[in-house]
Amino acid sequence: MSAQCALPRIRAEIEIPGGAPGWLGWLVAAGPDGTLLGAVAGGVPVPGEGELYALAVLPGSRRAGIGTALLAATSERMRAYGATEQRLTLPADPDPSLPFYERSGFVALDGGTRRSRPL
């Protein structure tokens, strides 16, 4: 997982009263027994532009639709806050998650790590 998904960072962000401007918080996916399977964080820091800050799924739970469901849920949340576009920055170019984001409709913004798609 990336630094954005590190437990100390998540704990600190959860504890920010009201969050940062445009911050929509974390959404999590849990198994039937309550085990955390994945998480996504995002916001709408600029009017009309949703920003995906982190999306992670436990390795043993990948390819089961969890990442797709988390992305869909945070996208709906961003739309409710007026976002018409969604952006993200990949940690590296190329990044192992790139095929997932390409299948989800994200395209390169700058030829590097920034990606975007309409919502």
Side-chain angles (χ1 to χ4, degrees):
M1 288 188 198
S2 69
Q4 287 87 356
C5 292
L7 194 54
R9 179 179 175 151
I10 295 168
R11 187 174 291 120
E13 289 175 350
I14 290 170
E15 293 172 355
I16 297 171
W23 170 244
L24 298 179
W26 288 90
L27 297 174
V28 299
D33 63 354
T35 302
L36 181 66
L37 302 176
V40 64
V44 183
V46 176
E49 292 181 14
E51 185 75 24
L52 187 65
Y53 300 128
L55 187 141
V57 176
L58 288 176
S61 298
R62 292 181 183 155
R63 302 201 180 276
I66 295 167
T68 300
L70 286 168
L71 181 59
T74 201
S75 297
E76 278 303 312
R77 208 171 200 193
M78 289 175 184
R79 277 188 206 95
Y81 281 85
T84 57
E85 182 179 13
Q86 189 173 51
R87 295 181 176 199
L88 63 89
T89 301
L90 297 173
D93 189 24
D95 188 85
S97 64
L98 182 57
F100 168 80
Y101 290 116
E102 287 177 335
R103 282 191 307 276
S104 299
F106 285 88
V107 296
L109 277 178
D110 59 9
T113 59
R114 291 286 290 158
R115 306 277 181 219
S116 177
R117 73 174 183 168
L119 281 180

